[in-house]
Amino acid sequence: MRNLSIAIILRILLIISLALHILTSVKSAQLSEMLRNKEISYDFYMENDINTTYYTIPFLILVLLNTWFANFSSKKRNNGRILMKEIVIPEMNLEDDERESVITGNSAKAALSVIIVATFVMLVSFPLATTLFDDVITYSVFTIAALPIIGLLTYFITYKMLYSR
């Protein structure tokens, strides 16, 4: 259970850092485009310039941590090769425990169901976002990043509830 918690926390942090990295890159590209079209002055561009390095470094660190954790906790054969069917959630051995296979299947079904419903709700809310928010790009980036986070959290909560029974 500890490995599952660590894996989900690392993956959620990776998704959040990717969303921040994408958001700053898009905003920086918008400012550059506005400067090139002479819609803003150079002074305004320099005052509002976004340094994307601050968001790239944590993203790369989290990618390396996720890769290391997946490699470290993966089930390996005797010759050291990783079993590919164990790489998605490497801390589970579905072949040995039938109860754990059922729990994992039910948790995955619940997570997929919640993702489908959340996707519908988010798609319906996009037209409202254009009228309610000034910055639609921020809303859309974080809305799209929220989908896998919602799925991971649903999977984790459902797994813990079913496992504790």
Side-chain angles (χ1 to χ4, degrees), residues 23-103:
L23 182 65
T24 56
S25 298
V26 168
K27 287 192 179 264
S28 179
Q30 280 181 334
L31 279 174
S32 299
E33 183 72 24
M34 290 171 76
L35 178 66
R36 191 174 68 212
N37 292 338
K38 298 185 189 249
E39 296 173 14
I40 58 173
S41 67
Y42 182 75
D43 294 332
F44 182 81
Y45 176 77
M46 291 308 289
E47 289 173 8
N48 296 306
D49 189 27
I50 300 168
N51 191 353
T52 57
T53 309
Y54 295 133
Y55 300 100
T56 305
I57 292 172
F59 173 70
L60 292 176
I61 290 171
L62 285 167
V63 166
L64 290 174
L65 274 174
N66 272 294
T67 306
W68 174 80
F69 185 75
N71 186 30
F72 176 75
S73 65
S74 294
K75 310 236 180 334
K76 296 181 173 94
R77 294 184 183 149
N78 291 338
N79 62 0
R81 296 179 64 182
I82 296 174
L83 298 171
M84 288 309 289
K85 60 185 169 185
E86 301 287 340
I87 199 69
V88 177
I89 300 176
E91 54 276 354
M92 296 184 185
N93 191 356
L94 299 178
E95 294 175 354
D96 292 346
D97 190 2
E98 194 171 308
R99 178 178 173 259
E100 197 165 309
S101 296
V102 171
I103 291 171

Side-chain angles (χ1 to χ4, degrees), residues 109-134:
K109 288 176 191 175
L112 181 63
S113 300
V114 168
I115 286 174
I116 290 172
V117 170
T119 302
F120 175 74
V121 168
M122 290 177 186
L123 286 175
V124 168
S125 67
F126 266 113
L128 296 173
T130 56
T131 58
L132 296 175
F133 298 114
D134 292 334

